[in-house]
Amino acid sequence: MKIFLDTANLQLIKEYNEMGLVDGITTNPTLLAKENNDPIEIMKEIVRLVKGPVSLEVVSQDYEGMIDEAHRLKKFGENVVVKIPMTSNGLKAIRRLKEDHIDTNCTLVFSSNQAILAAKSGARYVSPFIGRLDDAGHKGMNLIKEIVEIFKNYNFDTEVIVASVRHPLHVISAARIGADIVTLPPDVLAKMLKHPLTDKGLDTFNSDWEKVKKTYPNLIL
Ligand code: G3P
């Protein structure tokens, strides 16, 4: 399972990238709005920092606008994937961008029907938003199960990015289903790493080693 970070925060991207945990990045206008910097410069810097695919989203809703923005965003770097919303204009744009050899990530997907249409239009990735479905009283993870099954049935090469992830249990469920990618808010990745018994165990090892050092003061490990 590939792990993408769902953020536009350069400091956190650098931190996790140095740990080798970042297979790619997804951003959106909301995430960029949270950062206090020029969004264009932030996007360029993310593309420079990260080797894997970086999803950058168009803001136009008309077909021509999406195509123009996609071509401009693609100039930021080879690893740019253009995020296109799941609309009729979006599907048209996805088809055209495939012909232009620009990878796309179809975003704001909330049903298997939408995922099928995105895959058939040639999207490289689809992003079903599971947390927002959970918020609305639907089981978001059921959607992932369905999409993964459908894509397998037809050998679609579109990859499923589990998006709108809210907690580590979402990650485990997605991994058990066999989803290709999860895109994680940095705090979810931080929570995956932690366990209270790890901290407790480490404290015990440290204090026991201190005792050993008292007995053998010249000890060097
Ligand atoms: O990748 C999409 C994601 O950023 C949406 O997350 O938490 O706003 O539903 P959320």
Side-chain angles (χ1 to χ4, degrees), residues 186-204:
D187 70 302
V188 174
L189 184 51
K191 285 178 190 159
M192 284 173 72
L193 203 144
K194 294 293 269 182
H195 197 288
L197 289 177
T198 305
D199 297 340
K200 189 167 177 266
L202 199 54
D203 284 348
T204 310

Side-chain angles (χ1 to χ4, degrees), residues 91-142:
L91 291 180
K92 222 170 120 190
I94 286 168
R95 185 168 297 279
R96 162 67 192 279
L97 291 168
K98 186 166 170 85
E99 286 166 17
D100 296 346
H101 306 288
I102 294 179
D103 282 342
T104 53
N105 171 359
C106 184
T107 188
L108 291 167
V109 167
F110 291 94
S111 76
S112 295
N113 283 312
Q114 291 179 321
I116 291 169
L117 296 181
K120 283 187 69 71
S121 300
R124 174 83 178 79
Y125 305 97
V126 287
S127 290
F129 278 29
I130 58 164
R132 292 191 196 182
L133 280 171
D134 288 353
D135 292 345
H138 302 283
K139 287 192 174 163
M141 208 47 77
N142 286 352

Side-chain angles (χ1 to χ4, degrees), residues 18 37 74 114 121-122 140-141 151 166 181 216 218:
E18 277 166 19
N37 250 320
K74 187 67 192 180
Q114 291 179 321
S121 300
M141 208 47 77
F151 283 11
R166 299 278 159 79
I181 301 155
Y216 303 96
N218 297 326

Side-chain angles (χ1 to χ4, degrees), residues 6 26 28 31 83 107 127 129 131-132 135 163-166 183:
D6 194 30
T26 52
N28 62 37
L31 293 171
K83 225 172 172 188
T107 188
S127 290
F129 278 29
R132 292 191 196 182
D135 292 345
S164 184
V165 169
R166 299 278 159 79
T183 189

